[in-house]
């Protein structure tokens, strides 16, 4: 098996299971240096022991420990070199060691030792190659997942384009109207400076609104590496709802927002979590818009559960789904929509699980519709001397 990447693999920019950066862990080189020293010392000690003891004692077999230790920090090719080196040392000892009582036993011992070193070298090298292959496959899988998540975000943003351009048109037209009014107030005789000032202030507010919408759209569309910070989920949810405002109006959906103001921050990638909320809310709107009966109501709720974790609920009054399908919804390519892809919920679940949380669906027990819930662990407590800056929140 040929390795396509150098060994040791370049860990920079690669996230571990918890999604945090593992590059730059400077404890690893120190640990490796100690193990290297210990391995060399063990090889010297075994060589001395093997050289001063009789050939009847197969002390050279202990070199397998040297090969195993070396395999912890060496690349596959170097493990083979260490194995050959150990065999060379065993043969050298054979020549300088006092003669054995039984020549047959001495020869048999030497063969056993060299055979054991060779076998362990082959196995250790093979294990290292498999480890590298697994690492590369996991990295490729993560790359594909990231690309899919980005594509899904772009698709959702594409679906929202009509709403977003409408959302942008409003502050721009309002700015033009206010600018005309401001000019009129200034041209009056005498000029009405106070009214003109108010017109210009309204222009500033509208410009800020348009710029915030553009900034959020850009953030969500951007392809960026996973960045985990302290996130105030209530703010992240509110930003997504601003983007969806026109969609709610268009589909006649009444939105009820119940945000727990004491919600603790979570350690998360803000854009990824916004993608989850965006997908769940868009699915809810789509489900309700295909179902003409009754009022359309969407409830978005944040709460803190007993364990201190955060719970987000997205509940709609759409047709719901058959209870036995609750898990199938999260399977890749499962869709009941004519133009659906069936990736949205699968991506949402993998994002939430990557953050140490859980995402699941229930049918609404009280009224009609679906309830999607996800939990996230609260951000770990930081001490004043942890050297990290809280993002969007005070120290806990
Ligand atoms: P897609 O939207 O492309 O179909 P998803 O993974 O987002 O892919 O959704 C998978 C399926 O889950 C949908 O086709 C739909 O059948 C079901 N689903 C998702 N959200 C809801 C909801 N709020 N109410 C009812 N069914 C839903």
């Amino acid at each position: 098996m040929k390795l396509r990447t150098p060994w040791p693999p370049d860990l920079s920019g690669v996230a571990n299971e918890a999604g945090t950066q593992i590059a730059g862990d400077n404890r690893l080189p120190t640990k490796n240096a100690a193990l290297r020293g210990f391995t060399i010392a063990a090889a010297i000690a075994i060589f001395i022991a093997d050289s001063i003891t009789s050939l009847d004692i197969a002390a050279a077999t202990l070199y397998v420990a040297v090969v195993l230790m070396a395999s912890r920090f060496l690349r596959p090719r170097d493990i083979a070199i260490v194995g050959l080196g150990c065999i060379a040392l065993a043969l050298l000892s054979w020549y300088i060691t006092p003669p054995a009582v039984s020549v047959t036993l001495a020869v048999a011992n030497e063969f056993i030792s060299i055979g054991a070193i060779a076998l362990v070298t082959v196995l250790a090298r093979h294990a290292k190659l498999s480890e590298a292959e697994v690492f590369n496959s996991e990295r490729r899988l993560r790359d594909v997942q990231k690309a899919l998540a980005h594509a899904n975000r772009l698709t959702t943003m594409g679906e929202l384009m009509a709403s977003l351009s409408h959302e942008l048109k409003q502050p721009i037209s309002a700015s033009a109207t206010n600018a005309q009014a401001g000019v009129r107030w200034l041209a009056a005789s005498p000029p009405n400076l106070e009214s003109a000032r108010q017109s210009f202030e309204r222009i500033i507010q509208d410009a800020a609104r348009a710029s915030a919408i553009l900034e959020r759209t850009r953030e969500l569309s951007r392809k960026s590496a996973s960045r985990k910070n302290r996130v105030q989920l209530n703010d992240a949810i509110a930003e997504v709802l601003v983007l969806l405002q026109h969609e709610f109006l268009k589909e006649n959906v009444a939105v009820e927002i119940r945000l727990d103001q004491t919600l603790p921050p979570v350690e998360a990638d803000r854009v990824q979590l916004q993608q989850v909320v965006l997908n769940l809310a868009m699915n809810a709107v789509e489900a309700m818009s295909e179902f003409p009966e009754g009022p359309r109501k969407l409830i978005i709720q944040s709460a803190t559960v007993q364990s201190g974790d955060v719970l987000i609920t997205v509940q709609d009054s759409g047709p719901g789904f058959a209870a036995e399908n609750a898990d199938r919804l999260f399977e890749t390519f499962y869709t009941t929509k004519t133009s659906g892809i069936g990736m949205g919920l699968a991506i949402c679940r993998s994002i939430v699980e990557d953050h140490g949380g859980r995402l699941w669906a229930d049918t609404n027990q009280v009224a009609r519709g679906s309830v999607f819930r996800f939990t996230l662990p609260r951000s770990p407590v930081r001490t004043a001397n942890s050297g990290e800056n809280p993002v969007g929140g005070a120290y806990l």
Side-chain angles (χ1 to χ4, degrees):
M1 233 176 302
K2 263 202 160 209
L3 284 179
R4 275 193 225 140
T5 50
W7 191 272
D10 176 16
L11 296 179
S12 55
V14 174
N16 66 6
E17 271 180 356
T20 48
Q21 297 287 317
I22 54 180
D25 187 346
N26 53 15
R27 286 165 303 167
L28 284 178
T30 324
K31 212 173 139 193
N32 275 351
L35 193 58
R36 259 171 218 272
F38 190 66
T39 308
I40 294 169
I44 294 169
I46 294 168
F47 178 71
I48 294 170
D50 193 27
S51 303
I52 60 173
T53 54
S54 150
L55 287 177
D56 303 306
I57 302 167
T61 320
L62 294 174
Y63 282 120
V64 296
V66 173
V67 175
L68 287 175
M69 283 192 286
S71 72
R72 300 295 305 152
F73 54 84
L74 288 184
R75 349 162 185 222
R77 197 195 55 200
D78 297 340
I79 295 170
I81 294 172
V82 168
L84 288 172
C86 288
I87 291 173
L89 287 177
L91 290 171
L92 183 63
S93 294
W94 166 271
Y95 284 109
I96 59 177
T97 301
V101 179
S102 157
V103 176
T104 324
L105 188 62
V107 172
N109 275 346
E110 197 63 11
F111 268 109
I112 290 171
S113 300
I114 291 173
I117 297 167
L119 185 68
V120 169
T121 304
V122 169
L123 292 178
R125 194 173 162 274
H126 187 72
K128 200 78 183 183
L129 285 170
S130 310
E131 200 182 296
E133 196 58 28
V134 169
F135 179 86
N136 285 332
S137 310
E138 280 176 0
R139 189 166 59 177
R140 280 195 290 271
L141 181 68
R142 271 195 301 265
D143 286 348
V144 171
Q145 277 178 338
K146 241 190 275 172
L148 271 177
H150 183 238
N152 168 264
R153 228 161 39 224
L154 289 184
T155 311
T156 315
M157 296 306 287
E159 286 167 20
L160 277 177
M161 238 352 127
S163 294
L164 288 176
S165 50
H166 186 274
E167 204 57 39
L168 275 174
K169 221 172 104 188
Q170 269 187 338
I172 292 170
S173 332
S175 294
T177 312
N178 278 313
Q180 282 161 3
V183 169
R184 269 202 309 276
W185 291 125
L186 287 177
S189 180
N192 188 336
L193 294 180
E194 178 52 25
S195 298
R197 192 185 59 78
Q198 285 173 8
S199 297
F200 293 131
E201 266 175 9
R202 280 195 290 269
I203 293 173
I204 294 170
Q205 283 163 9
D206 284 330
R209 202 174 129 208
S211 139
I213 293 167
L214 279 176
E215 181 54 29
R216 274 160 216 158
T217 314
R218 205 169 63 95
E219 275 280 307
L220 275 166
S221 321
R222 211 166 41 193
K223 187 175 190 176
S224 55
S226 175
R227 272 178 300 145
K228 284 188 178 165
N229 287 312
R230 286 197 143 195
V231 175
Q232 296 289 352
L233 259 182
N234 285 349
D235 298 344
I237 293 173
E239 282 180 12
V240 171
L241 296 182
V242 169
L243 295 182
L244 286 168
Q245 233 167 24
H246 186 254
E247 204 65 22
F248 296 144
L249 270 175
K250 194 173 71 163
E251 298 298 340
N252 204 15
V253 174
V255 186
E256 193 176 321
I257 304 165
R258 304 178 192 160
L259 301 180
D260 175 357
Q261 294 310 323
T262 62
L263 202 71
V266 292
E267 197 79 13
D269 183 310
R270 187 187 180 88
V271 169
Q272 286 185 0
L273 290 189
Q274 287 187 319
Q275 177 174 7
V276 173
V277 177
L278 186 65
N279 269 334
L280 296 181
M282 281 290 278
N283 271 347
V285 173
E286 279 168 14
M288 288 187 283
S289 62
E290 281 164 18
F291 195 63
E293 286 168 38
R296 295 173 179 174
K297 187 161 185 185
L298 175 70
I299 302 174
I300 300 194
Q301 195 172 1
S302 69
T304 315
V305 289
Q306 243 178 1
S307 62
D309 289 353
V310 167
L311 172 73
I312 307 295
T313 308
V314 178
Q315 180 178 329
D316 64 63
S317 60
F321 51 86
E324 62 271 22
N325 278 343
D327 258 335
R328 282 197 72 198
L329 305 185
F330 297 93
E331 285 174 11
T332 41
F333 305 120
Y334 175 82
T335 182
T336 53
K337 300 172 191 166
T338 40
S339 57
I341 307 172
M343 287 299 294
L345 288 178
I347 289 170
C348 288
R349 184 172 261 183
S350 98
I351 290 175
V352 171
E353 287 179 354
D354 182 51
H355 283 81
R358 212 162 70 79
L359 165 67
W360 72 100
D362 281 318
T363 48
N364 195 339
Q365 302 294 322
V366 187
R368 199 189 59 210
S370 317
V371 191
F372 285 79
R373 294 187 177 90
F374 69 89
T375 56
L376 291 170
R378 66 181 296 162
S379 189
V381 175
R382 284 181 185 177
T383 56
N385 56 4
S386 69
E388 289 169 273
N389 280 326
V391 176
Y395 286 119
L396 282 177

